C-alpha cells in the first residue's frame, strides 16, 4: 500500500511536467505577435507590439522560453495574471474562495437530491416516476446552464426583487471594509467568515446572494449523478442477494434501501471526476451570469484572452487535485472492498 | 460498503451543516442586520454605484493607457489643468492656479515655454503638502518610466521631441538629461521647455496620460525613480505589473481608494482634507458585471445608479421608468480601411490571390474604381437608422465632428448602379467579367462593425452573381496582429482621441507612417508632407488649410469608408444629478465629485 | 444436411439483434426518442426545400432584412420572428438541424474512431504502447475539458469547425478509457484464448470477437454524446468563441439571445421567441439522443436485458 502511494506521488511529478509541456506547447502555437498582443488593450498600443515581442523574448526558441518559465516558477514566481491584474498566486486566493463557497453549498444538495432521485427512478423502473424524473433531468441538463441561470435571475430578481446577483451587498461589503477590527476575512468566504466573526447577518446576506447560483449549479450537476445512481440501482436489484432476500420475504423497502442502495453508491465514486468537471463548467456560466468572479470566470477569461501564466499554473493545480483525489478514491476503494488490492 | 456510505453521509451532512446552520440562526440575529441596513439606507444618498465590465489594468499614471485606468486615476489624482465643462480647447486650473496663455504670459517664447503657478495648501491622501518640486518630479518621472505600450509618447514628443526613450530596444543617448532639463522649478512655479511648439500640449496635460501630479517623497519611498539622471535607466520600462504604483495611490483628488478587488469592485471614499469644495458623494463603487441582463435588472431595481449600456441594447432602457440617458458624441471614429497591397503569404482572405474569379489580386484595392464601388455600396442612411436608431454621427472623413478644422466633405452616396458602373471599369473590366472571391473580417463582439461588414458584403454581392464575399470574425487581439501583417483586404477599426487635435486622426489614418495609414499601404506624397507640417504649425489659419486639404484628399482618393462616430449613452437613475458630458471621455468615465443624489 | 442446418436456424447474432430491437421498442421512451430523431433527420434532409438559401454558396447564412439589433416578433414573413440583427429564426432552426447533426456526427465520429482504435490496440496488445498511451491519457485527463477546448479554439481561431475539432480532441480520451477496460476484460476470456490457440490472426480476433462484444458501452456513450456535444458547443458560444452571428447554429442562437431573456419592465416576456425556438430545438434534440442512449443501455446491458 505504502509503495503504491509513493508510486502515485512520483507519478504526480510526471503529470505536472506533462501538463505544463502540453499547455505550453499549445500556447506556443500562437505567433509571438499574438502573444505580445495580450498586453495591448487599445488601438493606440498596437504600434508597440514588435517591441513587446522583443522585451519579453517571445521570439526565442521554444525550449528556452519553457526553461525561462520553469526557472521563474522554481523561484516561487508563478507570473502575472493580466486578466486579474495581480500576481497569479495572489489572484488565486481571491478567486478560489468564491468558487469553493458555491460548491460547498451545492455539492451536498447535489449528492442528496441525486441519490434520492436516482434511487427513486431505479426502484420504480419503467413507471411514470422513472420516465418523469429522467425526462425532467434531461430537460434540466439539456438547457444550457447560462440560460437557466438567466431565467432564474429574471423571475426572482427581475419580478420579485429577491436574491440579487453579486457576492454580497455593497452595504455589507462597505461595512466589512470599514470595520477591519470587527470582521476578519479568515477564509475569504463571507458565509463562513460571518459565523467565525459572530456576525451572522453577514452570513445571511451572503446566503441571499447564493440562493440562485446554488440552485442553478444543483440542477446542472444533479442529472449525471441521478443517471449513474439509477443504473447502479438497476444492477443491484437484479443481483442474486436481492432475489434471495425477496425470496426470504424481506419487504421491498428494506431491500431497496438497506441493501441495494448502499451497493449502488459505489459506482457513484467513479464519476466523481466527471462531477467535478461538470461543476467547473457550471461554475463558469453561474459566475458570469450572477457576477460572482471566481475560478471558473477567471479560467474562462484566461483561456479566451491567452493569460499564459494563469493557464499554466491553474491547470497544474487542477492536475494535482485530480491525481490526489483519484489516489484518495483508490485508497477508499481498497478500504471498502477487500477484494481490491493496490499494487 | 457500509463504511463508505457512512463516510459519504457524514461528509454531506457536514457540508449541509456548514450551509444550513446560519440560515437557522439568522432569525435570532436579525435585529442587528436590519439596524445596519437602515443605517446604510439613510446614508445612501451619498453613495453612488456604477456597474460596468471594463477591467482595470493599473493605477500607475505613467502606465495606464486605457479609459478604465484613466477613470480610476483621474478620480484619485489630479492634473495641473482640466477641460472646462464639455470644451476640448478651454481649460480650468486644478493644481495650477491659472491656465497658461499668451495673455497671462504663461505661454511664451513662441509657444515653446509653459509656466505653471502651483496651488498652495493642497494635501496628499497620505499626508504631505504639494510643492512645485513634486510637480516637476511627477512630470519627469512619468517620462522616465515610459513603459512599452504606455501613453508617454505624447509627453516625450512634446517635451523631448522623440516618441520614446528607447530606440531598437536600447535607451537613447542623453534622453534622461533632456527630460531632466525640460522641466524646471522656479520658486512656486514650474516651467516646461518644448523643443518645438506643440499645439495640443495643454490638452495632453489635462488627461491622465502624463499630466498626473504625485508626492515625490512618497513615490521614492515606494520604489519609484529617485530623481537622479544617473539612476533613471533602472526605472525605465518596467514589465507589466511590476510598475511600483500598480495598486497603491497617494493623490490629491477628493477621493481616495478604499479597496480594489480586481474584477469585482473598486471603491472610492471621500477625502476629508481636500483643498476644494466638499463633494456630495461620499462613497463611489464601481462594480464589475459582465452580463447585460444582470446589469439591466440592477438599473431597473435601483441597485445601481448607473450601468454601462452598449448601443445595441439602448432601445431596452430608453423607456425604462426612472432612468435618464445622456447621449455623448465621442471623438472616436470607426472606418473600413482598404489595404492596397495585401500580403499573399498564407492568407486565407484573398482566395487564389489572383484575378481569376476565385480570389482577388494583392493590389485589388489599389484600383480606385474598386474602392469607389465599395464606397457606393455602403448605405449610410440605412446603417444609421437600423444599427444606431439614428443616434449616431456619420463622419465624412477621419476628422471627427467636434475636432478643430472639421469639414463636411462630400461622400460617395449609396447607389448600387454607380457601384456596378465602377466595378465594370475596374482592372479594365476584368473584375466584372471574371468575378472575385474574398473575405471581410470584423472583430468579434462589436455588433456595429459586424453590421457594416455584412452590409458591404451583401450589397457588393448583389451587383454581380460572380462576386463572392464571406464575412468572418476574429478576436480583437488576433485582428490587431493580422491587420499589421497586411492580411486583410479591408479592416474595420476605430480610433479614439489621445488629444483633441486633427493631427491625432488624420496622421493616424492617412500618413504612410500613421498607425492605420501604414497598414493600408496607401502612399501619397502630398498627404505625408501635409501631415508633417500640420503637427507643428502654430498659425491657426495655416493649420486650417492643411487639415481641410487632407480631408478633401480623403474623399478624392477614396482612401477608406468611414462607418460611424461613436455616441456613448450615459445611463443614470434619474435622481443622480451633475453629469457633465465630454467628447474625450467615453462611457467608462465618471467624475464622482460632480455628482449628487 | 450439414449445409442446411445454419440456414434453418437463425444465426445467433441475428437472433440477439432481433431480441435487442424488441427490447428497445418495448420501451415507450425509446419510441419517443426515435420519433424525435426521425423528425430532426427529416428537417435536416429537407432543409433546402423547407428554407431555400439566399446565396447558394453560403446556405448556413441566415437571411436578414435590415440590421436593427432589436428582435421582431413572429409575423407572416418570419413565422418564428427575427433575432437581433433581423435574422430569420425559422431559417436558423431548419438549417440548425443540419448543424446539430454535423457537430454530433463529427465529434463523436472523430473521437470514437481515434478512441476505439487506440483503446483496442492498447487493451489487446498491452505492453509499452498501452503504458505510454495511458500515461498520456492521464495527463490529458487532468486538464479541465473546457479549458483545454477553449484554448484550442482560441489557438485555431473562432468558428464552428474549430469548436468541433476542439471538442473531438478532448472527447476521445473517454472512448479510449471505456473501450480499453472492456477489451482487457475480454482479453483473458476463454473464447479469445481459444481463438488465439487455434492460430487465428490478431486482426481477425479483434474484429470478430473483441469489437462486437465490447462496442455496446461505446455505442451508448456515443448516442449520449451526439446530444451533449450540441450543448458543449453552445457553451463555447456563450464564452464568445462560437460561430458568427448569422450562422444557423442553435447553440449560438441561444447564446446570442441571452441578452433578450429579460424584456422591458412592462413586458418581461417580450422577446420570448428569440430564446424559445432554438432552446426547444436543443432540448428536444438532446432529449432524443438521451432517450435512445438510455434505451440502448437497458437493452444491451447483459445484466439487465433478460429481466
Amino acid at each position: 500500500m505504502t509503495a503504491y502511494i509513493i508510486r502515485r506521488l512520483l507519478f504526480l511529478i510526471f503529470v505536472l511536467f506533462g501538463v505544463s509541456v502540453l499547455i505550453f506547447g499549445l500556447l506556443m502555437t500562437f505567433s509571438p505577435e499574438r502573444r505580445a498582443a495580450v498586453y495591448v488593450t487599445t488601438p493606440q498600443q498596437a504600434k508597440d507590439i514588435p517591441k513587446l515581442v522583443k522585451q519579453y523574448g517571445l521570439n526565442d526558441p521554444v525550449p528556452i522560453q519553457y526553461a525561462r518559465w520553469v526557472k521563474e516558477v522554481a523561484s516561487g514566481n508563478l507570473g502575472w495574471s493580466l486578466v486579474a491584474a495581480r500576481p497569479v498566486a495572489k489572484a488565486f486566493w481571491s478567486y478560489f474562495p468564491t468558487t469553493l463557497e458555491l460548491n460547498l453549498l451545492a455539492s451536498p444538495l447535489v449528492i442528496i437530491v441525486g441519490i434520492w432521485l436516482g434511487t427513486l427512478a431505479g426502484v420504480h423502473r419503467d413507471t411514470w416516476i422513472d420516465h418523469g424524473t429522467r425526462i425532467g433531468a434531461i430537460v434540466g441538463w439539456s438547457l444550457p446552464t447560462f440560460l437557466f441561470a438567466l431565467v432564474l435571475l429574471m423571475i426572482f430578481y427581475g419580478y420579485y426583487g429577491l436574491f440579487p446577483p453579486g457576492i454580497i451587498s455593497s452595504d455589507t461589503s462597505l461595512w466589512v471594509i470599514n470595520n477591519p477590527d470587527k470582521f476578519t476575512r479568515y477564509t475569504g468566504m463571507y458565509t463562513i467568515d460571518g459565523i467565525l466573526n459572530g456576525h451572522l447577518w453577514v452570513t445571511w446576506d451572503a446566503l441571499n446572494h447564493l440562493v440562485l447560483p446554488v440552485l442553478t449549479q444543483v440542477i446542472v450537476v444533479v442529472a449525471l449523478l441521478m443517471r449513474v445512481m439509477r443504473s447502479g440501482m438497476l444492477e443491484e436489484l437484479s443481483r442474486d442477494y436481492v432475489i434471495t432476500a425477496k425470496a426470504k420475504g424481506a419487504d421491498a423497502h428494506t431491500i431497496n434501501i438497506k441493501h441495494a442502495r448502499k451497493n449502488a453508491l459505489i459506482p457513484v465514486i467513479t464519476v466523481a471526476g466527471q462531477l467535478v468537471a461538470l461543476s467547473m463548467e457550471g461554475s463558469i456560466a453561474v459566475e458570469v451570469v450572477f457576477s460572482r468572479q471566481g475560478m471558473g470566470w477567471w479560467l474562462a477569461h484566461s483561456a479566451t484572452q491567452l493569460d499564459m501564466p494563469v493557464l499554466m499554473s491553474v491547470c497544474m493545480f487542477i492536475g494535482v487535485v485530480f491525481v490526489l483525489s483519484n489516489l484518495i478514491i483508490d485508497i477508499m476503494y481498497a478500504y471498502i472492498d477487500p477484494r481490491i488490492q493496490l499494487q | 460498503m457500509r463504511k463508505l456510505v457512512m463516510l459519504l453521509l457524514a461528509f454531506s451532512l457536514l457540508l449541509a451543516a456548514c450551509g444550513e446552520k446560519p440560515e437557522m440562526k439568522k432569525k435570532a440575529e436579525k435585529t442587528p442586520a436590519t439596524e445596519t441596513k437602515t443605517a446604510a439606507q439613510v446614508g445612501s444618498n451619498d453613495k453612488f454605484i456604477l456597474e460596468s465590465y471594463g477591467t482595470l489594468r493599473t493605477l500607475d499614471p505613467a502606465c495606464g493607457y486605457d479609459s478604465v485606468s484613466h477613470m480610476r486615476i483621474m478620480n484619485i489624482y489630479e492634473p495641473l489643468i482640466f477641460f472646462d465643462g464639455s470644451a476640448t480647447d478651454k481649460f480650468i486650473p486644478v493644481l495650477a492656479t491659472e491656465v497658461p496663455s499668451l495673455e497671462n504670459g504663461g505661454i511664451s517664447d513662441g509657444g515653446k515655454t509653459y509656466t505653471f503657478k502651483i496651488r498652495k495648501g493642497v494635501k496628499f491622501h497620505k499626508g504631505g503638502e504639494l510643492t512645485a518640486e513634486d510637480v516637476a518630479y511627477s512630470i519627469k518621472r512619468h517620462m522616465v518610466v515610459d513603459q512599452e505600450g504606455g501613453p508617454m509618447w505624447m509627453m516625450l514628443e512634446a517635451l523631448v521631441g522623440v516618441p520614446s526613450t528607447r530606440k531598437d530596444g536600447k535607451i537613447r543617448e542623453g534622453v534622461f538629461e533632456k527630460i531632466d532639463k525640460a522641466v524646471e522649478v522656479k520658486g512656486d512655479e514650474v516651467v516646461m521647455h518644448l523643443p518645438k511648439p506643440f499645439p495640443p500640449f495643454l490638452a495632453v496635460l489635462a488627461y491622465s496620460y502624463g499630466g498626473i501630479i504625485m508626492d515625490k517623497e512618497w513615490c521614492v519611498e515606494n520604489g519609484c525613480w529617485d530623481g537622479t539622471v544617473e539612476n533613471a535607466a533602472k526605472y525605465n520600462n518596467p514589465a507589466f505589473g511590476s510598475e511600483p504604483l500598480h495598486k497603491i495611490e497617494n493623490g490629491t483628488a477628493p477621493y481616495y481608494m478604499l479597496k480594489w478587488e480586481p474584477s469585482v469592485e473598486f471603491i472610492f471614499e471621500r477625502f476629508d482634507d481636500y483643498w476644494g469644495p466638499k463633494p456630495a458623494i461620499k462613497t463611489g463603487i464601481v462594480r464589475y458585471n459582465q452580463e447585460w441582463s444582470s446589469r439591466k435588472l440592477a438599473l431597473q431595481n435601483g441597485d445601481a445608479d448607473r450601468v454601462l449600456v452598449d448601443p445595441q441594447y439602448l432601445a431596452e432602457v430608453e423607456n425604462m421608468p426612472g432612468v435618464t440617458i445622456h447621449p455623448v458624441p465621442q471623438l472616436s471614429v470607426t472606418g473600413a480601411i482598404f489595404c492596397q497591397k495585401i500580403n499573399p503569404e498564407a492568407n486565407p482572405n484573398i482566395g487564389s490571390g489572383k484575378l481569376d474569379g476565385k480570389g482577388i489580386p494583392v493590389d485589388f484595392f489599389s484600383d480606385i474604381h474598386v474602392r469607389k464601388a465599395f464606397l457606393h455600396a455602403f448605405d449610410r442612411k440605412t446603417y444609421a437608422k437600423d444599427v444606431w436608431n439614428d443616434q449616431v454621427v456619420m463622419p465624412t472623413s477621419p476628422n471627427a465632428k467636434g475636432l478643430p478644422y472639421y469639414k463636411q466633405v462630400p461622400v460617395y452616396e449609396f447607389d448600387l448602379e454607380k457601384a456596378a458602373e465602377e466595378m465594370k471599369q475596374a482592372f479594365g473590366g476584368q473584375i466584372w467579367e471574371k468575378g472575385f472571391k474574398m473575405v471581410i473580417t470584423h472583430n468579434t463582439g462589436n455588433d456595429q462593425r459586424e453590421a457594416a461588414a455584412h452590409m458591404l458584403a451583401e450589397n457588393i454581392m448583389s451587383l454581380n452573381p460572380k462576386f463572392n464575399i464571406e464575412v468572418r470574425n476574429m478576436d480583437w487581439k488576433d485582428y490587431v496582429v493580422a491587420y499589421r501583417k497586411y492580411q486583410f483586404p479591408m479592416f474595420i477599426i476605430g480610433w479614439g482621441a489621445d488629444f483633441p487635435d486633427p493631427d491625432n486622426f488624420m496622421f493616424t489614418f492617412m500618413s504612410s507612417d500613421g498607425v492605420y495609414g501604414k497598414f493600408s499601404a496607401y502612399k501619397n506624397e502630398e498627404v505625408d508632407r501635409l501631415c508633417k507640417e500640420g503637427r507643428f504649425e502654430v498659425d491657426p489659419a495655416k493649420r486650417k488649410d492643411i487639415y481641410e486639404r487632407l480631408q478633401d484628399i480623403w474623399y478624392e482618393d477614396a482612401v477608406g469608408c468611414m462607418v460611424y462616430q461613436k455616441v456613448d449613452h450615459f445611463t443614470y437613475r434619474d435622481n443622480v444629478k451633475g453629469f457633465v458630458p465630454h467628447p474625450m471621455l467615453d462611457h467608462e468615465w465618471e467624475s464622482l465629485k460632480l455628482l449628487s443624489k | 444436411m450439414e449445409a442446411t442446418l445454419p440456414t434453418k436456424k437463425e444465426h445467433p447474432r441475428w437472433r440477439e439483434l432481433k431480441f435487442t430491437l424488441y427490447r428497445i421498442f418495448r420501451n415507450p421512451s425509446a419510441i419517443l426518442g426515435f420519433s424525435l430523431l426521425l423528425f430532426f433527420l427529416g428537417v435536416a434532409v429537407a432543409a433546402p426545400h423547407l428554407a431555400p438559401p439566399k446565396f447558394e454558396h453560403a446556405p448556413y447564412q441566415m437571411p436578414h432584412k435590415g440590421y436593427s439589433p432589436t428582435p421582431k416578433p413572429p409575423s407572416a414573413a418570419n413565422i418564428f420572428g427575427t433575432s437581433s440583427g433581423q435574422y430569420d429564426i425559422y431559417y436558423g432552426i431548419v438549417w440548425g438541424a443540419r448543424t446539430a447533426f454535423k457537430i454530433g456526427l463529427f465529434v463523436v465520429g472523430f473521437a470514437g474512431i481515434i478512441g476505439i482504435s487506440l483503446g483496442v490496440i492498447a487493451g489487446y496488445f498491452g505492453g509499452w504502447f498501452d503504458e505510454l498511451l495511458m500515461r498520456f491519457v492521464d495527463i490529458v485527463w487532468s486538464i479541465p475539458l473546457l479549458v483545454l477546448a477553449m484554448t484550442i479554439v482560441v489557438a485555431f481561431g473562432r468558428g464552428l469547425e474549430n469548436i468541433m475539432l476542439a471538442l473531438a480532441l478532448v472527447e476521445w480520451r473517454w472512448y479510449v478509457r471505456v473501450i480499453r477496460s472492456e477489451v482487457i476484460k475480454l482479453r483473458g476470456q476463454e473464447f479469445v484464448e481459444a481463438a488465439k490457440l487455434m492460430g487465428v490472426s490478431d486482426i481477425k480476433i479483434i474484429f470478430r470477437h473483441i469489437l462486437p462484444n465490447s462496442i455496446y458501452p461505446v455505442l451508448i456513450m456515443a448516442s449520449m454524446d451526439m446530444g451533449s456535444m450540441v450543448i458543449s458547443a453552445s457553451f463555447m458560444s456563450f464564452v464568445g468563441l462560437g460561430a458568427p452571428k448569422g450562422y444557423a447554429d442553435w447553440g449560438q442562437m441561444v447564446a446570442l439571445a441571452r441578452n433578450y431573456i429579460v424584456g422591458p419592465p412592462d413586458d418581461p416576456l417580450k422577446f420570448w421567441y428569440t430564446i424559445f425556438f432554438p432552446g426547444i430545438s436543443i432540448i428536444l434534440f438532446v432529449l432524443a439522443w438521451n432517450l435512445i442512449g438510455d434505451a440502448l443501455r437497458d437493452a444491451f446491458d447483459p445484466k439487465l436485458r433478460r429481466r
Side-chain angles (χ1 to χ4, degrees), chain A residues 11 38 54 73-74 92 100 125 138 243 251 278 294 310 328:
Chain A
F11 176 64
V38 164
K54 218 170 176 183
V73 170
F92 179 85
L100 187 65
R125 186 192 192 197
I138 292 170
I243 296 164
D251 67 303
L278 254 182
V310 181
I328 293 169

PDB file of all heavy atoms in Angstrom, chain A residues 11 38 54 73-74 92 100 125 138 243 251 278 294 310 328:
ATOM      1  N   PHE A  11       4.312   9.710  -9.636  1.00  0.00           N
ATOM      2  CA  PHE A  11       3.575   9.903 -10.879  1.00  0.00           C
ATOM      3  C   PHE A  11       3.058  11.341 -10.999  1.00  0.00           C
ATOM      4  O   PHE A  11       2.960  11.915 -12.075  1.00  0.00           O
ATOM      5  CB  PHE A  11       2.426   8.896 -10.931  1.00  0.00           C
ATOM      6  CG  PHE A  11       1.540   9.057 -12.114  1.00  0.00           C
ATOM      7  CD1 PHE A  11       2.036   8.864 -13.399  1.00  0.00           C
ATOM      8  CD2 PHE A  11       0.220   9.405 -11.958  1.00  0.00           C
ATOM      9  CE1 PHE A  11       1.214   9.020 -14.497  1.00  0.00           C
ATOM     10  CE2 PHE A  11      -0.599   9.564 -13.053  1.00  0.00           C
ATOM     11  CZ  PHE A  11      -0.104   9.377 -14.321  1.00  0.00           C
ATOM     12  N   VAL A  38      -1.445  40.292 -26.167  1.00  0.00           N
ATOM     13  CA  VAL A  38      -2.121  40.101 -24.888  1.00  0.00           C
ATOM     14  C   VAL A  38      -1.973  41.351 -24.023  1.00  0.00           C
ATOM     15  O   VAL A  38      -2.866  41.717 -23.266  1.00  0.00           O
ATOM     16  CB  VAL A  38      -1.515  38.865 -24.186  1.00  0.00           C
ATOM     17  CG1 VAL A  38      -1.881  38.825 -22.729  1.00  0.00           C
ATOM     18  CG2 VAL A  38      -1.973  37.603 -24.876  1.00  0.00           C
ATOM     19  N   LYS A  54      10.058  41.709 -28.410  1.00  0.00           N
ATOM     20  CA  LYS A  54      11.475  41.728 -28.077  1.00  0.00           C
ATOM     21  C   LYS A  54      11.678  41.752 -26.566  1.00  0.00           C
ATOM     22  O   LYS A  54      12.465  40.985 -26.010  1.00  0.00           O
ATOM     23  CB  LYS A  54      12.102  42.970 -28.705  1.00  0.00           C
ATOM     24  CG  LYS A  54      13.488  42.719 -29.249  1.00  0.00           C
ATOM     25  CD  LYS A  54      13.924  43.915 -30.064  1.00  0.00           C
ATOM     26  CE  LYS A  54      15.344  43.737 -30.537  1.00  0.00           C
ATOM     27  NZ  LYS A  54      15.782  44.923 -31.273  1.00  0.00           N
ATOM     28  N   VAL A  73       9.110  29.750 -12.045  1.00  0.00           N
ATOM     29  CA  VAL A  73       8.230  29.014 -11.144  1.00  0.00           C
ATOM     30  C   VAL A  73       9.034  28.414  -9.989  1.00  0.00           C
ATOM     31  O   VAL A  73       8.616  28.426  -8.836  1.00  0.00           O
ATOM     32  CB  VAL A  73       7.466  27.916 -11.901  1.00  0.00           C
ATOM     33  CG1 VAL A  73       6.742  26.992 -10.943  1.00  0.00           C
ATOM     34  CG2 VAL A  73       6.483  28.551 -12.854  1.00  0.00           C
ATOM     35  N   ALA A  74      10.227  27.912 -10.330  1.00  0.00           N
ATOM     36  CA  ALA A  74      11.061  27.314  -9.295  1.00  0.00           C
ATOM     37  C   ALA A  74      11.450  28.352  -8.246  1.00  0.00           C
ATOM     38  O   ALA A  74      11.584  28.025  -7.059  1.00  0.00           O
ATOM     39  CB  ALA A  74      12.312  26.709  -9.931  1.00  0.00           C
ATOM     40  N   PHE A  92      -5.245  33.907  -7.233  1.00  0.00           N
ATOM     41  CA  PHE A  92      -5.823  32.605  -6.914  1.00  0.00           C
ATOM     42  C   PHE A  92      -6.564  32.669  -5.583  1.00  0.00           C
ATOM     43  O   PHE A  92      -7.691  32.220  -5.463  1.00  0.00           O
ATOM     44  CB  PHE A  92      -4.716  31.551  -6.862  1.00  0.00           C
ATOM     45  CG  PHE A  92      -5.207  30.181  -6.527  1.00  0.00           C
ATOM     46  CD1 PHE A  92      -5.689  29.359  -7.514  1.00  0.00           C
ATOM     47  CD2 PHE A  92      -5.200  29.732  -5.217  1.00  0.00           C
ATOM     48  CE1 PHE A  92      -6.155  28.097  -7.210  1.00  0.00           C
ATOM     49  CE2 PHE A  92      -5.665  28.474  -4.902  1.00  0.00           C
ATOM     50  CZ  PHE A  92      -6.145  27.657  -5.901  1.00  0.00           C
ATOM     51  N   LEU A 100     -15.244  27.980  -4.155  1.00  0.00           N
ATOM     52  CA  LEU A 100     -15.336  26.962  -3.107  1.00  0.00           C
ATOM     53  C   LEU A 100     -16.649  27.114  -2.346  1.00  0.00           C
ATOM     54  O   LEU A 100     -17.352  26.143  -2.090  1.00  0.00           O
ATOM     55  CB  LEU A 100     -14.150  27.110  -2.156  1.00  0.00           C
ATOM     56  CG  LEU A 100     -14.011  26.021  -1.103  1.00  0.00           C
ATOM     57  CD1 LEU A 100     -13.729  24.695  -1.781  1.00  0.00           C
ATOM     58  CD2 LEU A 100     -12.903  26.354  -0.119  1.00  0.00           C
ATOM     59  N   ARG A 125     -38.559   1.363 -11.856  1.00  0.00           N
ATOM     60  CA  ARG A 125     -38.146   1.295 -13.246  1.00  0.00           C
ATOM     61  C   ARG A 125     -39.333   1.160 -14.203  1.00  0.00           C
ATOM     62  O   ARG A 125     -40.274   0.421 -13.943  1.00  0.00           O
ATOM     63  CB  ARG A 125     -37.231   0.071 -13.427  1.00  0.00           C
ATOM     64  CG  ARG A 125     -36.635  -0.003 -14.777  1.00  0.00           C
ATOM     65  CD  ARG A 125     -36.007  -1.348 -14.965  1.00  0.00           C
ATOM     66  NE  ARG A 125     -35.183  -1.311 -16.171  1.00  0.00           N
ATOM     67  CZ  ARG A 125     -34.768  -2.390 -16.781  1.00  0.00           C
ATOM     68  NH1 ARG A 125     -35.072  -3.565 -16.316  1.00  0.00           N
ATOM     69  NH2 ARG A 125     -34.036  -2.296 -17.858  1.00  0.00           N
ATOM     70  N   ILE A 138     -33.219  15.297 -17.949  1.00  0.00           N
ATOM     71  CA  ILE A 138     -32.629  15.575 -19.264  1.00  0.00           C
ATOM     72  C   ILE A 138     -32.944  16.995 -19.704  1.00  0.00           C
ATOM     73  O   ILE A 138     -32.087  17.713 -20.212  1.00  0.00           O
ATOM     74  CB  ILE A 138     -33.130  14.550 -20.304  1.00  0.00           C
ATOM     75  CG1 ILE A 138     -32.566  13.166 -19.963  1.00  0.00           C
ATOM     76  CG2 ILE A 138     -32.713  14.957 -21.697  1.00  0.00           C
ATOM     77  CD1 ILE A 138     -33.173  12.051 -20.755  1.00  0.00           C
ATOM     78  N   ILE A 243     -32.538 -11.058  -4.922  1.00  0.00           N
ATOM     79  CA  ILE A 243     -33.557 -12.062  -5.223  1.00  0.00           C
ATOM     80  C   ILE A 243     -33.733 -13.009  -4.029  1.00  0.00           C
ATOM     81  O   ILE A 243     -34.857 -13.340  -3.644  1.00  0.00           O
ATOM     82  CB  ILE A 243     -33.155 -12.843  -6.495  1.00  0.00           C
ATOM     83  CG1 ILE A 243     -33.154 -11.846  -7.670  1.00  0.00           C
ATOM     84  CG2 ILE A 243     -34.111 -13.980  -6.767  1.00  0.00           C
ATOM     85  CD1 ILE A 243     -32.441 -12.331  -8.894  1.00  0.00           C
ATOM     86  N   ASP A 251     -39.195  -7.130   3.070  1.00  0.00           N
ATOM     87  CA  ASP A 251     -40.081  -6.201   2.371  1.00  0.00           C
ATOM     88  C   ASP A 251     -39.271  -5.328   1.422  1.00  0.00           C
ATOM     89  O   ASP A 251     -38.064  -5.130   1.587  1.00  0.00           O
ATOM     90  CB  ASP A 251     -40.885  -5.353   3.357  1.00  0.00           C
ATOM     91  CG  ASP A 251     -40.015  -4.413   4.117  1.00  0.00           C
ATOM     92  OD1 ASP A 251     -39.067  -4.912   4.778  1.00  0.00           O
ATOM     93  OD2 ASP A 251     -40.254  -3.201   4.032  1.00  0.00           O
ATOM     94  N   LEU A 278     -18.055  18.794 -14.352  1.00  0.00           N
ATOM     95  CA  LEU A 278     -19.344  19.423 -14.619  1.00  0.00           C
ATOM     96  C   LEU A 278     -19.537  20.655 -13.751  1.00  0.00           C
ATOM     97  O   LEU A 278     -20.025  21.682 -14.210  1.00  0.00           O
ATOM     98  CB  LEU A 278     -20.465  18.428 -14.326  1.00  0.00           C
ATOM     99  CG  LEU A 278     -21.178  17.822 -15.515  1.00  0.00           C
ATOM    100  CD1 LEU A 278     -22.265  16.906 -15.023  1.00  0.00           C
ATOM    101  CD2 LEU A 278     -21.783  18.909 -16.387  1.00  0.00           C
ATOM    102  N   GLY A 294     -15.058  34.157  -9.827  1.00  0.00           N
ATOM    103  CA  GLY A 294     -14.341  33.093  -9.135  1.00  0.00           C
ATOM    104  C   GLY A 294     -13.430  32.370 -10.108  1.00  0.00           C
ATOM    105  O   GLY A 294     -13.100  32.889 -11.169  1.00  0.00           O
ATOM    106  N   VAL A 310      -1.605  32.090 -16.002  1.00  0.00           N
ATOM    107  CA  VAL A 310      -2.774  31.546 -15.296  1.00  0.00           C
ATOM    108  C   VAL A 310      -3.089  30.151 -15.810  1.00  0.00           C
ATOM    109  O   VAL A 310      -3.275  29.206 -15.028  1.00  0.00           O
ATOM    110  CB  VAL A 310      -3.999  32.456 -15.496  1.00  0.00           C
ATOM    111  CG1 VAL A 310      -5.192  31.897 -14.758  1.00  0.00           C
ATOM    112  CG2 VAL A 310      -3.689  33.854 -15.053  1.00  0.00           C
ATOM    113  N   ILE A 328      -7.028   9.197  -3.446  1.00  0.00           N
ATOM    114  CA  ILE A 328      -7.892   9.015  -2.276  1.00  0.00           C
ATOM    115  C   ILE A 328      -9.023   8.050  -2.602  1.00  0.00           C
ATOM    116  O   ILE A 328      -9.358   7.164  -1.813  1.00  0.00           O
ATOM    117  CB  ILE A 328      -8.429  10.380  -1.809  1.00  0.00           C
ATOM    118  CG1 ILE A 328      -7.264  11.214  -1.271  1.00  0.00           C
ATOM    119  CG2 ILE A 328      -9.500  10.205  -0.743  1.00  0.00           C
ATOM    120  CD1 ILE A 328      -7.607  12.653  -1.030  1.00  0.00           C
TER     121      ILE A 328
END
